[in-house]
């Protein structure tokens, strides 16, 4: 009697089949294991039933940490065939199968033990140590199938010892495509600022000594380059000065252990589980009250981004560093993708780094660190990149034969490719506002199409805004492929991404609350405070925040006093507003009285300016009004600083009346909110209490309107998406209100709620558009 076992799910890389081989040997089972395309993994064994049951239980409890098992189906097979051994058979491949390519995986515990063991000379202290269950994957792959000759490791032929391990099914390095040892693998070299090589030294020991002395090091890693320095005031300020446009944007820190992170941040059990996972993302953690690191790491914020080493590279560095953590920030010039060749790193970062620790293994795909935080005990991803990409997201409804290329928005951009019911989001690309980043976006799209063997996507999906470079690229691809193109309204894409994550059916409507800075609406105004009733294919706008003018356009984003002035201009005449700003807020206008005069003229002379309903703009204005932030030096800064002040306040201290005006749909008036906040501030009330109360009351007004509309339409699900979904008070307030009405609240957990998740929404909208309409 044989037993046929089908395991379905994501089986990362080639480590799963050797694991099954070793498990079968443990229980003295004979048969075979092989990959079976989209079905999953097929195992056929014969043996006694007790051993097979133990075997299955062992698989469930001891599978590699990088594997995901959705189901195990066991069938008895009547046959006389007996197996004499257990073997690993070649994979069954059917034309057009979707790929399962694993992300880059943090160093595993077994490799770390080899790395620390002086008896294993080939791996002792070797920075590129890896096995079938850990190490680089995505960043090295040029083509499929995932075999060493099609990775950047082709330039490093195996030594005899490595080849023996690679060929032995009992060894955990069996068919590990990207491992090597100190005999045959890549090496590091230390350079000075002129590109001169250090000779006769131990590169990591010398690099650590230089870091301890306060120098900035450019460290080439798995998928790019970090700029590294110690977390002292002097070193951090030096880093900020050299990064130029990094005036206040927070830096992340890497620490060698959880214990070291606990010395400067608080960690919940869920946060610890994420920090120590094979993904090793940056996690935003609350700072300890007596924060021992430099105050310039994350100025004005209550949290700090921290992560753990994910390669031997980092452990070698920390072995000789005298500090509990190191600043680790992306090694790139502002709005330019990271350099990934030694020559380009030396050239691009010459003005930023004092020394360069670089290796000779090519990085085929740059890949930034992933970033997330916990909100309401749920993972909320800010940047989905290293450790996650290129894992796919399943479509909520079947689209087996459709291919879609989605190109994302303009900021925090990613691309996504849909094939055979799977959406493959790319790594973080960034703000597509430079030619270099546009080229990165284009090359990323081509690489994913190539890996997925798509010669011509059936549909191109892009943003509704015609001025975005990503939209222009969509039309370029349209001309190249001669296919279809659909432009997706920004907030509808947010909603579609959320719906797909929660497996909403193709014909089900949900109520969406979409809150962010801006996205072009179908009335050609800037949207960002929206209540939409939608399916994947279409939507209706049922509510919004009040429109406000943006005098000077994007200048309001960078100098939020302008946005504050715009809102207050509806309550004060020109002389009153001029006097108020001149007296209390002139520091928020770089050109002083001259700029103020022009601003007042713009506001009261009925000049035609951009209108916005963006929640982000209201929060920016409130941040300026309370004196928290007058200049945006990084994306979302005024609203983020406002959020962190509000975390210190009492959200129930003050109440606000926010009228709802009926037009084509309901419009929540936000002018009274700022007017009362100004009065409260003038009466010397606590800034943190005003901030917390204002955010809570505004969130309640939005939730109440969404609930009212949902009940009117018989809708039982209300979801929240958009960049403001990173604000904990907003999420908690809306969630509590929705659930108090016994409605289901949906929030993101697996894909970013911000613009990094837009391409997923574009892809699934495109699939629905072609499939059902």
């Amino acid at each position: 009697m044989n037993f046929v076992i089908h395991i379905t799910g994501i089986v990362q890389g080639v480590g799963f089949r050797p694991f099954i081989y070793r498990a079968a040997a443990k229980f003295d089972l004979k048969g075979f294991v092989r990959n079976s395309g989209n079905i999953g993994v097929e195992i056929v064994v014969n043996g006694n039933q007790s051993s097979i049951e133990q075997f299955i239980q062992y698989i469930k409890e001891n599978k590699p940490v990088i594997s995901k098992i959705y189901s195990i189906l066991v069938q008895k097979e009547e046959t006389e065939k007996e197996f004499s051994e257990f073997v690993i058979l070649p994979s069954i491949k059917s034309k057009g199968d979707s790929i399962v390519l694993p992300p880059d995986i943090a160093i595993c515990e077994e490799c770390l033990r080899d790395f620390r063991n002086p008896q294993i000379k080939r791996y002792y202290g070797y920075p590129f140590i890896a096995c079938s269950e850990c190490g680089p994957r995505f960043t090295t792959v040029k083509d499929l199938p995932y075999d060493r000759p099609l990775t950047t490791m082709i330039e490093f032929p195996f030594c005899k010892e490595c080849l023996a391990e690679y060929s032995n099914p009992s060894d955990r390095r069996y068919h590990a495509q990207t491992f090597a040892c100190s005999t045959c693998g890549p090496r590091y070299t230390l350079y000075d600022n002129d590109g001169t090589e250090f000779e006769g030294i131990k590169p990591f020991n010398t690099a650590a000594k230089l870091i301890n002395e306060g120098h900035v090091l450019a460290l080439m890693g798995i998928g790019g380059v970090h700029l590294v320095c110690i977390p002292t005031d002097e070193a951090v300020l030096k880093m900020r000065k050299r990064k130029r446009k990094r005036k206040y944007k927070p830096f992340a820190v890497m620490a060698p252990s959880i214990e070291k992170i606990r010395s400067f941040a608080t960690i919940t059990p869920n946060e610890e589980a994420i920090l120590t996972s094979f993904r090793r993302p940056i996690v935003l953690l609350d700072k300890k009250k007596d924060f021992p690191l430099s105050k310039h790491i994350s100025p004005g914020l209550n949290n700090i981004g921290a992560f753990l080493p994910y390669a031997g590279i980092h452990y070698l560095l920390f072995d000789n560093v005298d500090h509990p953590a190191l600043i680790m920030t992306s090694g790139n010039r502002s709005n330019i993708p990271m350099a990934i060749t030694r020559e380009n790193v030396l050239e691009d970062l010459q003005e930023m780094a004092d020394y360069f620790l670089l290796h000779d293994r090519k990085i085929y795909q740059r890949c930034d660190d992933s970033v997330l935080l916990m909100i309401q005990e749920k993972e909320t991803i800010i940047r989905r990149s290293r450790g996650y990409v290129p894992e796919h997201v399943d479509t909520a409804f079947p689209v087996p034969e459709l291919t879609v290329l989605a190109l994302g928005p303009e900021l925090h951009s990613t691309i996504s490719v849909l094939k055979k019911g799977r959406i493959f989001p790319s790594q973080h690309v960034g703000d597509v506002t430079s030619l270099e980043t546009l080229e990165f976006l284009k090359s990323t799209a081509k690489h994913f199409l190539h890996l997925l063997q798509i010669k011509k996507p059936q549909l191109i999906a892009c943003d509704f805004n015609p001025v975005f470079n990503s939209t222009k690229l969509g039309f370029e691809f349209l001309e190249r492929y001669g296919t279809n193109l659909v432009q997706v309204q920004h907030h509808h894409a947010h909603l579609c991404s959320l719906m797909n994550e929660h497996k909403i059916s193709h014909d089900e409507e949900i109520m969406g609350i979409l809150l962010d800075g801006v996205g072009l609406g179908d009335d050609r105004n800037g949207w960002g405070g929206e209540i939409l009733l939608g399916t994947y294919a279409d939507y209706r706008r049922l509510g919004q925040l009040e429109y406000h003018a943006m005098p000077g356009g994007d200048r309001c984003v960078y100098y939020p006093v302008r946005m504050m002035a715009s809102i207050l201009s509806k309550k004060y005449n020109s002389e009153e507003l001029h006097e108020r700003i001149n007296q209390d807020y002139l520091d928020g206008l770089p050109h002083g009285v001259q700029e103020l005069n022009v601003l007042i003229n713009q506001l009261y002379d009925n000049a035609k300016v951009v209108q916005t309903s963006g929640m982000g703009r209201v929060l920016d204005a409130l941040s300026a009004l309370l004196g928290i932030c007058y200049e945006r030096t990084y994306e979302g800064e005024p609203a983020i600083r406002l959020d962190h002040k509000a975390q210190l306040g009492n959200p129930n201290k003050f109440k606000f009346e926010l009228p709802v005006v009926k037009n084509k749909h309901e419009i929540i008036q936000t002018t009274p909110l700022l007017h009362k906040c100004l009065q409260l501030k003038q009466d010397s009330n606590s800034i943190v209490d005003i901030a917390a109360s204002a955010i809570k009351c505004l969130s309640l007004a939005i939730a109440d309107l969404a609930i009212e509309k949902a009940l009117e339409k018989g809708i039982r699900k209300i979801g929240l998406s958009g960049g403001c979904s990173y604000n904990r008070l907003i999420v908690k307030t809306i969630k509590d209100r929705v659930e108090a009405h016994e409605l289901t609240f949906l929030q993101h957990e697996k894909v970013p709620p911000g613009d990094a998740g837009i391409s997923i929404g574009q892809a699934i909208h495109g699939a629905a558009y072609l499939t059902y309409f």
Side-chain angles (χ1 to χ4, degrees):
M1 177 77 70
N2 288 339
F3 287 80
V4 180
I5 304 169
H6 289 290
I7 299 177
T8 63
I10 301 174
V11 182
Q12 305 283 23
V14 295
F16 193 78
R17 288 174 298 156
F19 161 72
I20 296 296
Y21 177 95
R22 294 190 292 272
K26 179 180 180 68
F27 294 100
D28 195 29
L29 299 175
K30 315 299 181 185
F32 65 82
V33 59
R34 64 183 172 190
N35 285 332
S36 296
N38 283 342
I39 295 171
V41 172
E42 180 185 20
I43 304 165
V44 176
V45 291
N46 53 33
N48 66 68
Q49 186 160 343
S50 175
S51 295
I52 290 173
E53 288 173 353
Q54 292 178 61
F55 171 66
I56 294 170
Q57 191 62 31
Y58 182 84
I59 292 172
K60 292 177 180 178
E61 295 176 355
N62 297 279
K63 67 179 179 62
V65 294
I66 59 175
S67 301
K68 297 178 183 178
I69 295 177
Y70 293 144
S71 66
I72 296 180
L73 176 64
V74 181
Q75 296 172 318
K76 291 182 180 180
E77 184 180 81
E78 295 287 348
T79 177
E80 298 299 321
K81 183 176 181 180
E82 293 289 330
F83 297 102
S84 60
E85 59 181 343
F86 192 91
V87 296
I88 299 174
L89 295 182
S91 301
I92 298 175
K93 295 181 180 179
S94 59
K95 185 177 179 181
D97 270 351
S98 292
I99 63 165
V100 176
L101 176 65
D104 299 309
I105 306 298
I107 184 171
C108 69
E109 289 300 319
E110 289 185 86
C111 279
L112 192 55
R113 281 194 288 272
D114 290 349
F115 179 82
R116 295 298 194 195
N117 188 349
Q119 301 302 313
I120 309 177
K121 293 182 179 180
R122 292 168 46 242
Y123 294 124
Y124 179 58
Y126 182 58
F128 295 94
I129 190 170
C131 69
S132 62
E133 295 185 20
C134 73
R137 304 291 201 267
F138 170 70
T139 52
T140 68
V141 171
K142 297 179 179 180
D143 204 348
L144 293 176
Y146 174 53
D147 291 322
R148 192 180 184 90
L150 298 178
T151 74
T152 57
M153 290 300 289
I154 184 60
E155 298 178 11
F156 303 95
F158 281 133
C159 63
K160 290 182 180 179
E161 291 86 351
C162 284
L163 183 59
E165 292 172 340
Y166 180 84
S167 305
N168 181 2
S170 298
D171 196 289
R172 77 172 195 280
R173 293 189 172 94
Y174 174 69
H175 277 212
Q177 306 299 339
T178 57
F179 87 97
C181 74
S182 59
T183 302
C184 60
R187 288 175 170 78
Y188 269 93
T189 304
L190 183 64
Y191 301 87
D192 67 14
N193 187 259
D194 293 327
T196 302
E197 180 180 338
F198 281 69
E199 296 182 354
I201 52 101
K202 292 182 178 180
F204 280 88
N205 291 6
T206 304
K209 178 177 178 292
L210 294 168
I211 291 172
N212 284 330
E213 292 171 357
H215 296 293
V216 175
L217 177 76
L219 175 65
M220 182 180 282
I222 302 301
V225 178
H226 283 121
L227 289 172
V228 185
C229 73
I230 56 177
T232 62
D233 287 351
E234 183 180 359
V236 174
L237 289 174
K238 179 198 291 187
M239 182 85 84
R240 291 203 177 280
K241 183 177 180 181
R242 292 183 180 182
K243 290 278 282 184
R244 295 183 183 177
K245 293 184 179 180
R246 201 69 184 251
K247 187 176 180 180
Y248 296 122
K249 188 175 181 180
F251 290 132
V253 298
M254 178 183 283
S257 66
I258 281 288
E259 290 69 33
K260 292 293 186 182
I261 295 179
R262 284 201 178 95
S263 71
F264 57 82
T266 61
I267 309 173
T268 67
N270 284 340
E271 288 167 340
E272 181 173 348
I274 299 166
L275 283 164
T276 57
S277 72
F278 71 84
R279 303 185 191 280
R280 296 290 165 90
I282 296 169
V283 180
L284 301 189
L285 306 169
D286 290 338
K287 294 177 184 175
K288 282 198 164 180
K289 288 185 178 179
D290 298 322
F291 184 67
L293 309 182
S294 172
K295 64 183 179 182
H296 300 293
I297 295 175
S298 54
L301 305 182
N302 308 325
N303 62 18
I304 182 169
F307 60 139
L308 291 170
Y310 52 85
I313 302 160
H314 307 121
Y315 287 102
L316 278 176
L317 205 57
F318 276 112
D319 282 347
N320 295 283
V321 167
D322 301 332
H323 295 264
L326 291 172
I327 304 297
M328 290 261 187
T329 189
S330 296
N332 65 294
R333 291 182 285 136
S334 294
N335 297 325
I336 304 296
M338 282 188 295
I340 52 175
T341 67
R342 282 189 292 178
E343 296 74 17
N344 288 344
V345 171
L346 287 166
E347 179 181 351
D348 283 7
L349 302 183
Q350 188 177 35
E351 295 181 1
M352 298 184 199
D354 300 307
Y355 298 94
F356 298 80
L357 188 54
L358 311 178
H359 60 69
D360 56 355
R361 182 179 69 195
K362 291 179 181 177
I363 298 171
Y364 195 71
Q365 283 291 302
R366 58 174 63 83
C367 196
D368 281 274
D369 299 311
S370 296
V371 185
L372 59 82
L373 77 162
M374 295 296 295
I375 297 181
Q376 295 290 288
E377 292 303 309
K378 294 184 184 296
E379 292 182 32
T380 305
I381 300 175
I382 298 172
R383 186 165 71 200
R384 185 183 184 275
S385 206
R386 178 190 52 76
Y388 291 85
V389 172
E391 285 184 358
H392 70 263
V393 176
D394 289 323
T395 58
F397 50 87
V399 281
E401 303 304 325
L402 191 61
T403 56
V404 179
L405 168 62
L407 295 170
E410 183 163 72
L411 303 180
H412 309 292
S413 199
T414 63
I415 66 100
S416 286
V417 176
L418 185 154
K419 179 182 179 181
K420 297 186 89 64
R422 294 175 175 178
I423 300 172
F424 295 85
S426 76
Q427 72 271 41
H428 169 73
V429 173
D431 297 347
V432 192
T433 55
S434 67
L435 291 176
E436 292 86 350
T437 310
L438 177 60
E439 184 56 38
F440 181 24
L441 186 77
K442 184 187 299 187
S443 66
T444 300
K446 291 178 179 178
H447 183 57
F448 271 71
L449 290 174
H450 178 70
L451 289 179
L452 290 162
Q453 301 177 6
I454 300 173
K455 293 183 178 180
K456 177 182 176 180
Q458 293 165 266
L459 181 71
I460 308 293
C462 60
D463 198 273
F464 185 61
N465 194 325
V467 304
F468 282 0
N469 285 324
S470 57
T471 303
K472 294 174 183 177
L473 179 61
F475 282 92
E476 180 183 320
F477 279 140
L478 173 66
E479 186 173 339
R480 166 183 294 190
Y481 294 118
T483 186
N484 301 296
L485 181 141
V486 61
Q487 291 182 258
V488 190
Q489 199 280 324
H490 188 90
H491 300 95
H492 187 215
H494 274 305
L495 181 60
C496 289
S497 176
L498 180 67
M499 292 170 67
N500 188 74
E501 181 173 338
H502 288 276
K503 306 304 178 196
I504 304 300
S505 64
H506 72 89
D507 56 353
E508 181 180 355
E509 289 184 312
I510 77 163
M511 195 67 66
I513 299 173
L514 297 315
L515 306 176
D516 61 8
V518 67
L520 184 65
D522 55 26
D523 62 356
R524 297 294 165 175
N525 285 316
W527 288 11
E530 313 306 316
I531 297 172
L532 305 182
L533 176 64
T535 63
Y536 293 103
D538 202 4
Y539 66 92
R540 285 181 288 160
R541 191 187 197 192
L542 301 185
Q544 65 166 94
L545 297 183
E546 178 185 1
Y547 275 131
H548 298 294
M550 292 181 66
D554 279 350
R555 194 167 178 81
C556 287
V557 178
Y558 290 96
Y559 301 102
V561 165
R562 300 178 69 93
M563 200 69 234
M564 176 201 77
S566 173
I567 297 174
L568 292 178
S569 69
K570 298 177 180 180
K571 280 286 186 180
Y572 298 96
N573 63 41
S574 59
E575 291 79 11
E576 292 170 333
L577 186 59
H578 190 287
E579 180 182 358
R580 173 59 55 201
I581 294 175
N582 189 49
Q583 180 177 323
D584 295 333
Y585 297 101
L586 203 59
D587 288 346
L589 300 175
H591 300 288
V593 174
Q594 182 181 1
E595 183 173 351
L596 174 58
N597 293 336
V598 173
L599 174 62
I600 293 297
N601 288 336
Q602 288 176 313
L603 290 170
Y604 292 94
D605 288 353
N606 296 317
K608 188 175 181 180
V609 296
V610 175
Q611 300 284 319
T612 179
S613 62
M615 176 78 156
R617 299 293 78 83
V618 176
L619 298 178
D620 288 353
L622 183 57
S623 184
L625 184 145
L626 296 177
I628 296 169
C629 185
Y630 285 164
E631 180 187 5
R632 193 207 85 166
T633 66
Y634 60 88
E635 177 72 20
E637 180 181 5
I640 292 170
R641 286 186 176 234
L642 175 72
D643 173 26
H644 284 250
K645 287 292 185 184
Q647 290 173 22
L648 306 175
N650 177 2
N652 301 309
K653 180 74 172 179
F654 304 109
K655 303 297 180 184
F656 300 83
E657 293 294 330
L658 302 183
V660 177
V661 174
K662 175 74 173 178
N663 196 340
K664 292 180 181 178
H665 46 257
E666 270 77 0
I667 302 172
I668 299 169
Q669 302 298 294
T670 50
T671 299
L673 179 76
L674 263 75
H675 182 230
K676 182 169 181 179
C677 285
L678 181 59
Q679 293 175 328
L680 290 170
K681 179 175 180 287
Q682 289 171 337
D683 292 339
S684 300
N685 287 289
S686 164
I687 295 300
V688 296
D689 288 341
I690 299 172
S693 299
I695 291 173
K696 181 172 182 179
C697 285
L698 180 55
S699 302
L700 284 174
I702 294 167
D704 287 342
L705 182 55
I707 291 165
E708 176 189 325
K709 293 300 174 183
L711 295 175
E712 282 180 9
K713 304 291 183 181
I715 303 296
R716 305 300 303 173
K717 295 173 183 174
I718 297 179
L720 174 65
S721 188
C724 294
S725 303
Y726 297 121
N727 184 304
R728 287 174 173 168
L729 181 54
I730 290 174
V731 176
K732 182 182 188 311
T733 301
I734 294 176
K735 178 178 185 291
D736 289 350
R737 195 69 146 201
V738 168
E739 291 180 345
H741 285 76
E742 298 183 345
L743 300 174
T744 300
F745 178 75
L746 307 179
Q747 70 182 93
H748 289 278
E749 296 178 58
K750 298 178 181 177
V751 301
D755 282 6
I758 285 283
S759 64
I760 297 171
Q762 291 173 343
I764 194 65
H765 165 78
Y769 180 82
L770 280 186
T771 305
Y772 298 106
F773 291 88

